[in-house]
Amino acid sequence: MQTHYLGASQREHVRQLLEWMNPCPGAHIVDAGSGVGEIPLFMSSIRPDLEFTMVNISEYQLGMSPTGEQFKQVLADFTASGLESDSADVVMLNSALCQMPINHALSEARRILKPGGKLFISDLSVEDYREYPQLHALFMSPLQWGEVIRRHGFTISSLLTFEKFDISHFKDAYGEAFDQDFAKPLPFIGVFSKADCPVDDAISRHERIAL
């Protein structure tokens, strides 16, 4: 389930995701925690050149996912996906990383990305780190997300928040406690690149550039 939409329709939401992702021609995109595959389906309709591997632990959801030459389905926990190392141009997590064991998921993303490959994250952010047992999820501020991801061997390309968005469907699903629990949630998009050096070196190098 997508936590939010950035456009007036799902297609417009996906169009904006693609704009910020900016995948190379013919890119192989791994959708980690793919749900029923609605994001790859819309992306493929906009960019027919893209190829997708949808990784989902739910056989039921994969059964409702798109099929065809450009869509591959993998029934697995993404943290142990079994995908080939250095094989993906992009790993994307749409409303998914917040519900995964973050350290394991980021390590797996780095393993399967090609050198210089992109990690693309679209999720909700809140003002400070907080766990939500009702959703089996946790959320952080964009800067906190960025710091955690950076420490797993990625460099930050873009970190964006959005003031205009639709969260009504998620609010309805979450129930009456939404307003109390979610203080000013904001969608964010993070685009990161796989560093071509060990994790510790990537961190220090990024810090030196920032300084």
Side-chain angles (χ1 to χ4, degrees):
M1 178 183 182
Q2 299 301 304
T3 56
H4 61 277
Y5 295 115
L6 298 176
S9 65
Q10 193 166 11
R11 184 178 178 84
E12 174 61 20
H13 172 73
V14 173
R15 187 195 65 76
Q16 291 195 44
L17 296 183
L18 268 176
E19 180 179 331
W20 289 110
M21 182 190 294
N22 191 26
C24 63
H28 172 213
I29 300 175
V30 173
D31 187 2
S34 59
V36 297
E38 70 272 24
I39 299 296
L41 182 62
F42 277 102
M43 283 188 172
S44 180
S45 70
I46 299 170
R47 286 279 306 273
D49 60 299
L50 301 176
E51 298 182 358
F52 297 90
T53 296
M54 299 170 290
V55 182
N56 197 323
I57 200 171
S58 169
E59 184 175 6
Y60 175 74
Q61 289 185 334
L62 279 179
M64 296 188 290
S65 298
T67 58
E69 291 185 359
Q70 69 272 50
F71 301 111
K72 178 182 178 182
Q73 299 180 1
V74 175
L75 179 63
D77 183 332
F78 176 69
T79 60
S81 70
L83 297 178
E84 188 176 342
S85 298
D86 301 327
S87 62
D89 297 293
V90 181
V91 170
M92 67 174 177
L93 294 111
N94 293 292
S95 304
L97 184 58
C98 62
Q99 292 186 308
M100 293 184 179
I102 292 176
N103 292 332
H104 296 295
L106 293 175
S107 295
E108 183 70 351
R110 192 177 194 284
R111 183 187 69 79
I112 66 178
L113 277 170
K114 297 176 182 178
K118 293 181 180 180
L119 175 65
F120 182 85
I121 296 174
S122 174
D123 220 315
L124 285 181
S125 66
V126 292
E127 293 180 352
D128 199 2
Y129 179 101
R130 185 172 175 185
E131 296 184 11
Y132 293 86
Q134 303 95 321
L135 297 173
H136 307 286
L138 65 84
F139 296 98
M140 311 182 207
S141 72
L143 290 179
Q144 288 169 332
W145 279 117
E147 178 65 13
V148 169
I149 293 165
R150 188 169 64 90
R151 291 188 178 279
H152 283 79
F154 294 91
T155 57
I156 301 172
S157 301
S158 301
L159 203 56
L160 311 157
T161 57
F162 298 83
E163 297 288 343
K164 295 182 179 180
F165 59 95
D166 180 8
I167 200 172
S168 58
H169 64 290
F170 186 60
K171 182 176 180 179
D172 291 343
Y174 189 57
E176 296 179 357
F178 182 92
D179 290 326
Q180 178 181 352
D181 285 351
F182 279 92
K184 299 179 181 179
L186 285 178
F188 86 97
I189 285 177
V191 185
F192 307 85
S193 295
K194 178 180 176 179
D196 58 356
C197 53
V199 175
D200 290 342
D201 289 347
I203 294 170
S204 60
R205 180 179 300 179
H206 180 89
E207 288 172 343
R208 287 196 297 270
I209 293 171
L211 292 173

